[in-house]
Amino acid sequence: MRGGLGECLCRRSVDRKNKYMITPKAPRLHACAAVLLAASLAACSPEKSAPAGAGAPPPAEVGVVTVTPQVVGLAVELPGRLEATRVAQVRARVAGILQKRIFKEGSDVKAGQGLFQIDAAPFQAAYESAQAVLARAKANLVQSTAQVDRFKPLLQANAISRQDFDNAVAAQKLAEADVQAGKAAVETARINLGYATVTSPIAGRIGRSLVTEGALVGQGEATQLAVVQQIDPMYVNFTQSATDLLRLRKAVESGAFKRAGTDGASVRVALEDGSVYKLPGKLLFSDLSVDPTSGQIMLRAEIPNPQGLLLPGLYVRVRLEQAQAQAGIVVPQQAVQRGSTGDSVMVVGGDGKVTPRQVTIGRSVDGQWVVLDGLKAGEMVMADGFQKLRGDAPVKPVPWKPAAESAPAAAASAAPAGSAASGT
């Protein structure tokens, strides 16, 4: 035991004194240490190190519109109703039995076109009777005239009395009056005979028939048979606040705005489905008085309707352009953030920094807001990419394109890829 313990202690002391004496396992440990040292040096070398700032992302791209003053029409959208320019009620002007209807319901008719036929036999008989009475009156006139002609020389020769001559002249005048009465009776009978055929008083579109064959019409009153409406052009009646109208007129007089057009304000009609009628109209007049209960002024515009698309009584939205701003500024509606404290937009500066800006918004024009105050020409307003903002980090402004314009471009860029995929 002592020999073994002493031998071990001697070996340890020899190892401590001899720095270069190693055990047989030492070469393996030194080899591993050399490999780890080489890997550490390779990782720390300048050629293999990552560039500084590699963790910072590039500036986010946001869509912007550049503020450009332009002529902007100031339009207001108001509710209105369409109305036919002319409406005629077709009525029976003589009494009789309706024999037949000679038009197609819902079709276009011309002025003077026959619509209904009333039994004309009684009126034909009355016409012929009036002609007979007229013929008798004419015969009496011929006889009385001849008698007066015969009495003239006899009166000069004192062969007849003055009383007889005066009686002959009176009979002649009475015969002439009978002839005039007879002519009037014939004309009346002819008119009534013509009324047996009921015609359209105006050109337009006729609706449904209000009576059927065999009905007694015109007995005691002029029976309504149908309605004809002229729908080209059409009237649209709408109202506007008297306060807004007076404010707009003052702005035009002060020179802030310019009156739209020389022939009256431009009018466009939006239908119930949201589509805009393709043909513009014109403002005809505005009422002279204000409704005391609502404070509104009645206005009327005329809309062309050659294809008959617009119908009387249809509810529409009237877009009325009454003035123009010569240096107006418009921005997309999505660029404006509206709130209870006011309206604001995000303006991108030259350094890429985004700052909010309070603006004054006017009316909407073709899907854009008219900015009355708060922006200057040349400034860039964000219209897209709000979700990419990260605090005060700068952004990269790019021209904003509406969805309607970007969709065809995206489809065109995707088409070659799709064709290549189909060909492989």
Side-chain angles (χ1 to χ4, degrees), residues 29 108 126 132 158 182 230 262 328 383 390:
L29 295 176
D108 293 329
N158 294 324
Q230 184 175 342
T262 57
R390 296 292 184 271

Side-chain angles (χ1 to χ4, degrees), residues 131-146:
Q131 285 183 321
V133 173
L134 176 60
R136 182 185 300 173
K138 289 181 178 180
N140 291 334
L141 177 60
V142 172
Q143 182 181 2
S144 60
T145 302

Side-chain angles (χ1 to χ4, degrees), residues 23-240:
T23 60
K25 297 181 179 180
R28 296 182 180 179
L29 295 176
H30 280 279
C32 292
V35 172
L36 292 176
L37 180 60
S40 300
L41 293 175
C44 296
S45 61
E47 297 179 357
K48 300 293 183 176
S49 60
E61 291 187 357
V62 296
V64 299
V65 291
T66 303
V67 175
T68 304
Q70 56 185 315
V71 178
V72 178
L74 302 179
V76 59
E77 189 168 298
L78 303 167
R81 289 280 182 182
L82 293 175
E83 178 184 323
T85 51
R86 301 172 69 188
V87 180
Q89 296 180 349
V90 181
R91 294 182 178 272
R93 305 181 66 175
V94 293
I97 301 298
L98 189 66
Q99 287 185 328
K100 61 179 178 179
R101 171 173 58 87
I102 52 180
F103 72 94
K104 183 179 180 180
E105 294 177 322
S107 63
D108 293 329
V109 296
K110 299 179 180 180
Q113 177 179 337
L115 303 177
F116 296 92
Q117 182 63 52
I118 300 175
D119 185 11
F123 307 106
Q124 182 67 37
Y127 176 70
E128 294 176 356
S129 176
Q131 285 183 321
V133 173
L134 176 60
R136 182 185 300 173
K138 289 181 178 180
N140 291 334
L141 177 60
V142 172
Q143 182 181 2
S144 60
T145 302
Q147 188 173 4
V148 169
D149 292 340
R150 287 194 301 269
F151 279 5
K152 285 182 179 180
L154 295 177
L155 178 63
Q156 295 175 357
N158 294 324
I160 59 172
S161 63
R162 185 71 184 184
Q163 181 66 38
D164 292 339
F165 181 77
D166 292 340
N167 292 338
V169 172
Q172 181 189 16
K173 298 296 183 183
L174 183 60
E176 290 178 353
D178 290 342
V179 170
Q180 295 298 325
K183 290 181 178 180
V186 169
E187 183 66 16
T188 301
R190 186 189 65 80
I191 292 174
N192 290 336
L193 180 60
Y195 285 160
T197 301
V198 182
T199 60
S200 175
I202 62 173
R205 183 167 296 179
I206 192 169
R208 64 184 180 89
S209 176
L210 303 179
V211 293
T212 59
E213 292 83 351
L216 176 62
V217 297
Q219 188 67 35
E221 63 179 4
T223 306
Q224 184 176 347
L225 307 179
V227 177
V228 179
Q229 302 183 75
Q230 184 175 342
I231 59 175
D232 184 25
M234 291 283 291
Y235 288 149
V236 54
N237 300 320
F238 55 101
T239 58
Q240 184 179 16

Side-chain angles (χ1 to χ4, degrees), residues 65-72 325-331 370-371 375-379:
V65 291
T66 303
V67 175
T68 304
Q70 56 185 315
V71 178
V72 178
Q326 298 301 305
I329 295 175
V330 295
V331 296
V370 178
V371 180
L375 291 177
K376 297 180 181 179
E379 292 185 319

